Amino acid sequence: MIGFGERLHSAVARHGRLCVGIDPHASLLAQWGLEASAAGTREFGLRVVAAAAGRVGIVKPQVAFFERWGSAGFAALEDVQAAARDAGLLVIADAKRGDIGSTMDGYAAAWLEPGAPLEADAVTVSPYLGPGSLRGTIAAAARAGKGVFVLAATSNPEALGVQSAEVSVVDAQRGQTVADWVASGIGWANRAAVDAGGWGPVGLVVGATVDRDELGLTDEALRGAPILAPGFGAQGVGLRDVGSVFGAHAPQVIANASRSVLAAGPDGIAAAIDAHRAELADAFEEEPRG
């Protein structure tokens, strides 16, 4: 079985580092001429998938915008994620789940178990019940060839007070911040793959707008982990800035763009994806790939 890190690396090699968000905001549904309903949300998602297929390797549905429609919304999400995976896209379900014990095992089964209705290739998870609470989910992901992206340094400004706070637990370094403790706490899962020169099953969510020094997020904590980076485009950071923002870690970055792509509308989304992909390739002095 091919692991998630290898599949992610292969998708980047084929199509580049752009991840297209599938975020059916109410305003975007209206702009696209779609009704504010589960059916409209489903149609929106399927159109994004059709535009993304063959242009990028990764999409990220924002689960909240489907969940708000209840069971019909989840059915719509099932259809969108299945269509994306059938089209050869890697699906990162942006669900931000986080709990302990059997409850977290249930979330892992829902999003990462092969054949599950909501099956994705990876899921975002919250570590704020402690990084150790994710061990079972990470192990389940690795067994299934799936991935997990752990929230480490998010782009929302109100997170700074929590993520920059110093931790006071036995296994922490003196003065270590929560963000660094979280990122360091999942390193065990990637060690074998990193030692072999690849990517493991666990990535980190690190916003493009955050100051990593301010958060105390060290190079060692980021070493070898895929980095899912929101904050490009509509939040003000240009894709050409990926090198200056992430430095030596830029080759690990999967750059997410949502509103700046989706705002182009159904007739312009394909061209917007191409433009974003070209800008990101230019940052790495690469040829845009199809």
Side-chain angles (χ1 to χ4, degrees):
M1 179 179 60
I2 302 174
F4 175 74
E6 186 176 348
R7 291 195 292 134
L8 181 62
H9 197 275
S10 177
V12 168
R14 290 196 308 272
H15 298 292
R17 306 163 196 278
L18 183 65
C19 170
V20 173
I22 304 178
D23 294 15
H25 292 263
S27 60
L28 284 171
L29 290 175
Q31 181 184 333
W32 284 46
L34 298 170
E35 65 179 22
S37 66
T41 299
R42 177 183 182 275
E43 180 64 21
F44 181 97
L46 293 176
R47 290 187 188 182
V48 177
V49 166
R55 288 185 166 86
V56 297
I58 312 155
V59 292
K60 183 176 70 65
Q62 172 47 257
V63 171
F65 294 117
F66 294 86
E67 188 172 325
R68 69 187 181 124
W69 302 115
S71 58
F74 274 112
L77 180 59
E78 291 172 15
D79 289 347
V80 170
Q81 293 192 164
R85 299 183 73 240
D86 287 346
L89 293 160
L90 287 183
V91 175
I92 302 173
D94 197 354
K96 298 183 178 70
R97 297 304 193 239
D99 215 308
I100 58 173
S102 58
T103 308
M104 197 62 197
D105 292 343
Y107 285 135
W111 298 100
L112 301 175
E113 187 173 292
L118 288 167
E119 181 184 1
D121 296 288
V123 65
T124 58
V125 296
S126 172
Y128 289 100
L129 279 75
S133 67
L134 301 176
R135 292 187 74 90
T137 300
I138 290 170
R143 286 194 301 270
K146 303 291 190 178
V148 171
F149 282 92
V150 180
L151 304 179
T154 57
S155 56
N156 56 313
E158 60 268 29
L160 180 63
V162 174
Q163 294 169 1
S164 65
E166 294 182 8
V167 294
S168 57
V169 293
V170 174
D171 63 339
Q173 306 281 335
R174 183 175 178 83
Q176 188 174 26
T177 64
V178 170
D180 195 67
W181 180 60
V182 164
S184 300
I186 55 87
W188 61 271
N190 290 335
R191 196 159 294 126
V194 171
D195 289 346
W199 287 349
V202 184
L204 297 167
V205 178
V206 179
T209 59
V210 305
D211 184 332
R212 288 187 289 117
D213 290 334
E214 188 175 21
L215 285 171
L217 194 55
T218 62
D219 286 343
E220 180 57 29
L222 295 177
R223 186 174 73 90
I227 297 171
L228 178 61
F232 289 102
Q235 293 189 47
V237 180
L239 290 165
R240 286 190 177 87
D241 299 326
V242 63
S244 60
V245 171
F246 287 97
H249 302 290
Q252 301 159 229
V253 168
I254 308 301
N256 181 76
S258 299
R259 282 175 289 171
S260 59
V261 169
L262 303 174
D267 295 328
I269 184 173
I273 291 173
D274 288 342
H276 280 64
R277 187 182 56 166
E279 183 179 347
L280 189 57
D282 185 60
F284 288 91
E285 298 182 347
E286 300 168 340
E287 290 294 325
R289 285 156 283 198

